[in-house]
């Protein structure tokens, strides 16, 4: 494939990275991608993984999610994410915002929307520490409301 007068190689390394991201729903960091891909390609370097992730993102083949550290999503459909403020896990919210797809191709005063990313932040119910933290916050809120 030729782009911008430069030859772009579609390497097996890039294909393995993309395949891994499409198979997982955990939204891994670049470091996690490196560690997982290294199991399959023991000689791959960290720099190669980071460069390929950057290239895949620029080509629109993966999403980069801005969180504590950049995380990656192999599902490039327009869908919002929930980011837990305690454990930093990221969850896809496919059915949460069914009406959000009306945003795509919508004209605004400043231009047409081609794609979007939405993030919701809160405390998940998936890990015990997050559930316990939510209980403590509710208890403190209840005490404040009761004037204690």
């Amino acid at each position: 494939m030729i782009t911008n007068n430069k030859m772009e190689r579609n390497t097996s390394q890039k294909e393995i990275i993309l395949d891994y991201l499409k198979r997982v729903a955990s939204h891994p960091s670049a470091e996690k991608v490196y560690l997982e891909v290294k199991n399959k390609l023991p000689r791959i370097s960290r720099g190669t993984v980071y460069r390929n992730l950057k290239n895949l993102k620029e080509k629109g083949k993966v999403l980069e999610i801005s969180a504590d550290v950049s995380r990656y999503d192999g599902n490039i459909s327009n869908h919002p994410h929930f980011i837990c403020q305690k454990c930093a896990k990221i969850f896809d919210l496919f059915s949460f915002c069914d009406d959000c797809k009306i945003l795509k191709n919508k004209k605004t005063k400043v231009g047409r929307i081609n794609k979007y990313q939405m993030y919701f932040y809160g405390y998940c119910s998936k890990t015990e520490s997050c559930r316990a933290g939510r209980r403590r916050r509710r208890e403190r809120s209840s005490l404040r409301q009761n004037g204690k």
Side-chain angles (χ1 to χ4, degrees):
M1 172 190 303
I2 299 192
T3 21
N4 297 337
N5 297 328
K6 286 201 252 180
M7 182 66 90
E8 180 187 326
R9 296 182 327 186
N10 194 16
T11 64
S12 62
Q13 295 168 330
K14 191 183 298 182
E15 289 174 20
I16 289 170
I17 291 168
L18 182 59
D19 180 57
Y20 168 71
L21 286 171
K22 286 185 176 200
R23 281 186 293 109
V24 300
S26 60
H27 307 91
S29 65
E31 183 65 17
K32 177 72 174 169
V33 173
Y34 165 69
L35 293 172
E36 290 298 321
V37 170
K38 192 163 180 62
N39 289 329
K40 199 166 199 173
L41 300 170
R43 298 183 61 171
I44 196 167
S45 73
R46 190 174 270 111
T48 297
V49 171
Y50 279 70
R51 275 190 303 281
N52 277 297
L53 285 170
K54 181 181 178 197
N55 181 269
L56 289 167
K57 182 191 122 194
E58 288 171 352
K59 300 296 178 200
K61 294 183 179 180
V62 299
L63 296 176
E64 181 177 18
I65 301 169
S66 301
D68 53 339
V69 295
S70 288
R71 305 290 243 346
Y72 295 89
D73 191 347
N75 181 339
I76 58 171
S77 68
N78 287 318
H79 63 281
H81 292 93
F82 178 93
I83 301 173
C84 181
Q85 292 174 280
K86 177 125 177 108
C87 69
K89 286 187 179 176
I90 300 173
F91 303 90
D92 294 315
L93 297 177
F94 292 110
S95 61
F96 181 76
C97 193
D98 288 333
D99 293 334
C100 294
K101 59 186 154 218
I102 65 168
L103 295 173
K104 187 162 168 93
N105 295 320
K106 181 166 179 64
K107 279 188 180 178
T108 68
K109 289 182 181 179
V110 295
R112 182 181 296 275
I113 297 171
N114 294 323
K115 62 182 181 173
Y116 60 88
Q117 286 193 35
M118 279 193 256
Y119 303 118
F120 297 94
Y121 298 88
Y123 299 95
C124 76
S125 59
K126 299 293 183 187
T127 61
E128 183 55 40
S129 66
C130 294
R131 285 191 299 270
R134 279 202 338 266
R135 277 192 303 272
R136 284 190 300 273
R137 282 186 295 283
R138 277 196 308 267
E139 288 167 3
R140 283 193 303 265
S141 175
S142 176
L143 288 173
R144 279 193 301 269
Q145 288 174 355
N146 293 331
K148 295 180 182 179

